[in-house]
Amino acid sequence: MKKKVLMSASLAAVVLAGAAMVGAAVPPPPVNQFLGIYDTKFPNLTKTDCLECHVSDTVLVQQHHALINTVSPPASCFNATGTVPPTLATGCHVMVSDGSGGFTFQDFRDCFNCHTQTPHHTSAAAVAKDCKYCHGNFIDNPLDGHYIPTYPASSVTPLPDGRTVPATGGGTATVQGCAACHQAAPQAIDPKTNTVRPIFSNQDTHHGTGITDCNLCHNTSSDVPIRQCEVCHGVNSLHNIQKDSPNAANLGTVKPGVEDLGWGHIGNNWDCQGCHWSWFGNSSPYTNATVPAINGQSSYTVIAGKEAVLTIVGSSFVNVGPDGVTVYQPTVTLVSGSTSLTLTPFSVTESEIKVSVPALAEGVYELRIAKANKVSNLAKLTVTPARIIASATLGAGQTLTITGTGFGPAPSAEYDAGIGVYAGTTEATVISWSDTKVVATSTAFAANGYVTVKTINGALSGKILAAPKKAKR
């Protein structure tokens, strides 16, 4: 028979001691920031924060360029209307006068030129309240009919703000609710980037999402306030959130119930009591596969038509079930339009997956980690076109014929976009341009010299060869 365990005054003292620490502490509060999205709000983000997930300008350029053909008609590169913020439909690159009769680009390396509000919660999935589309099983969809308790509040029932209890040695501690762990800290150390940044309170982070449907949180229909929170944060999702702790006996896999305290919701009886104040031993009634998390990087790239090995970093990729025997292993799913692939990794640790990816067609693929009935948050795999100069042959009249793949769209006749053909620093005149063949002319072209083709996906260089002489008959 399970024995009811009550949180002791000494445990409350541990909670209070955690509150005095700077930043993401173990034990919390505030909770350490390894799993899911950092407890922040969109107006507080900087470009550096965005690149924590989106990697680099180079990766973002490829991902954005791959979106050009996702709208109908295909998007233009240039925003001739000057619409601010620019969109795929109007064209992304805004041209502004340089004051001398010419034009130059508005700075397009600033994420916030286009993303004037959070881009995440304005998507079609967010508007349809399909939260799991991006967040995976870290959250529940408010319209999916998931289990929400209806029984009256008791010492087991969490409270949104928790409750305050005396702590041994003086002072107070917050227990029995979300705020037992999720509290604000003006100067916290982000463990993923080792930088100092503020952690915000639940009230700030929820109000900072950009979601305009206030009824999701404030339309209470029960005398138990946590029930409205459970519309998005249900029992099943909360009881499966756990990261591997630096416990030598368990290192390398998640073992619910025997992890160090403060590394998730179900790692230790202390974690259970943080929400429930009283609980029944080291068990979680809904745990099987813990929710896998793709952390710190949500944008990956490979080259079209080539097999590749993809290394995915994150947390909770493998776990042992509550029976202590069953091991839950991950698969990798890729989806783009009608294409859907399930791949089995050849190497798995709790925090890293290596998987062989077959040759894919170019485009943007949705990437997720699946483990039994749990799915990770969304990441993106951009398959960029293969870019090769196969030959560059110089013919009569200094005309150069360049063949290959991945040259992309032709440079604009109206704007100098930096796309074109160059001999050193001299720009050639383009005669024709397709994805596989470019013809240009310039007096700077010379046999055994080099040509550079600047494409929308980057620059390519190749050696110029003279056309073979025709044999005399």
Side-chain angles (χ1 to χ4, degrees), residues 108-184:
F108 53 86
R109 303 284 183 183
D110 185 344
C111 309
F112 302 100
N113 282 344
C114 298
H115 300 296
T116 56
Q117 57 181 325
T118 169
H120 305 113
H121 289 134
T122 56
S123 67
V127 171
K129 297 184 176 61
D130 185 2
C131 310
K132 293 166 71 173
Y133 178 82
C134 289
H135 294 283
N137 287 110
F138 280 104
I139 199 169
D140 293 281
N141 284 344
L143 305 177
D144 67 3
H146 65 272
Y147 167 65
I148 298 175
T150 57
Y151 50 77
S154 69
S155 61
V156 173
T157 308
L159 307 171
D161 297 320
R163 64 189 179 95
T164 302
V165 298
T168 300
T172 60
T174 301
V175 296
Q176 196 181 350
C178 310
C181 294
H182 292 276
Q183 294 184 22

Side-chain angles (χ1 to χ4, degrees), residues 51-409:
L51 293 181
E52 182 180 327
C53 288
H54 297 292
V55 187
S56 68
D57 281 335
T58 300
V59 172
L60 284 175
V61 165
Q62 293 173 331
Q63 184 172 327
H64 282 72
H65 285 169
L67 296 174
I68 290 174
N69 293 321
T70 64
V71 294
S72 182
S76 166
C77 299
F78 306 104
N79 187 326
T81 65
T83 304
V84 179
T87 67
L88 281 175
T90 62
C92 293
H93 293 287
V94 178
M95 305 299 295
V96 294
S97 172
D98 64 3
S100 63
F103 293 87
T104 186
F105 284 128
Q106 179 192 57
D107 179 15
F108 53 86
R109 303 284 183 183
D110 185 344
C111 309
F112 302 100
N113 282 344
C114 298
H115 300 296
T116 56
Q117 57 181 325
T118 169
H120 305 113
H121 289 134
T122 56
S123 67
V127 171
K129 297 184 176 61
D130 185 2
C131 310
K132 293 166 71 173
Y133 178 82
C134 289
H135 294 283
N137 287 110
F138 280 104
I139 199 169
D140 293 281
N141 284 344
L143 305 177
D144 67 3
H146 65 272
Y147 167 65
I148 298 175
T150 57
Y151 50 77
S154 69
S155 61
V156 173
T157 308
L159 307 171
D161 297 320
R163 64 189 179 95
T164 302
V165 298
T168 300
T172 60
T174 301
V175 296
Q176 196 181 350
C178 310
C181 294
H182 292 276
Q183 294 184 22
Q187 288 187 308
I189 298 175
D190 178 359
K192 289 186 288 187
T193 61
N194 200 33
T195 57
V196 176
R197 55 191 294 193
I199 293 174
F200 289 88
S201 67
N202 278 338
Q203 182 177 4
D204 282 334
T205 57
H206 283 69
H207 284 151
T209 61
I211 296 174
T212 58
D213 186 354
C214 301
N215 285 331
L216 278 177
C217 293
H218 295 290
N219 184 21
T220 55
S221 58
S222 169
D223 294 333
V224 184
I226 196 67
R227 300 300 180 233
Q228 192 62 32
C229 301
E230 290 171 333
V231 168
C232 293
H233 303 285
V235 176
N236 191 48
S237 61
L238 294 180
H239 281 219
N240 289 280
I241 296 174
Q242 183 62 42
K243 176 179 169 55
D244 185 30
S245 62
N247 183 329
N250 306 321
L251 197 62
T253 187
V254 173
K255 292 187 176 180
V258 294
E259 295 291 344
D260 295 339
L261 58 88
W263 290 81
H265 291 175
I266 54 171
N268 185 289
N269 195 49
W270 185 93
D271 300 317
C272 304
Q273 292 172 326
C275 280
H276 297 289
W277 179 251
S278 65
W279 192 243
F280 298 92
N282 283 342
S283 65
S284 175
Y286 293 90
T287 299
N288 44 56
T290 55
V291 183
I294 300 175
N295 287 346
Q297 182 174 341
S298 64
S299 300
Y300 297 84
T301 59
V302 296
I303 297 174
K306 291 186 177 182
E307 295 181 358
V309 171
L310 199 61
T311 299
I312 306 167
V313 294
S315 302
S316 198
F317 288 154
V318 60
N319 76 279
V320 177
D323 61 5
V325 176
T326 306
V327 178
Y328 293 93
Q329 295 281 359
T331 57
V332 178
T333 63
L334 295 174
V335 177
S336 179
S338 60
T339 301
S340 179
L341 299 174
T342 298
L343 309 175
T344 301
F346 64 83
S347 174
V348 176
T349 68
E350 187 271 342
S351 58
E352 182 184 271
I353 287 173
K354 291 185 178 181
V355 62
S356 296
V357 178
L360 298 171
E362 64 181 90
V364 179
Y365 291 71
E366 296 174 357
L367 185 156
R368 295 178 175 87
I369 307 301
K371 192 169 59 172
N373 61 343
K374 300 298 186 295
V375 178
S376 75
N377 51 308
L378 173 66
K380 296 292 182 70
L381 174 66
T382 302
V383 182
T384 62
R387 297 180 296 110
I388 300 171
I389 291 181
S391 66
T393 305
L394 187 62
Q398 297 298 99
T399 297
L400 187 66
T401 301
I402 309 162
T403 63
T405 60
F407 297 142

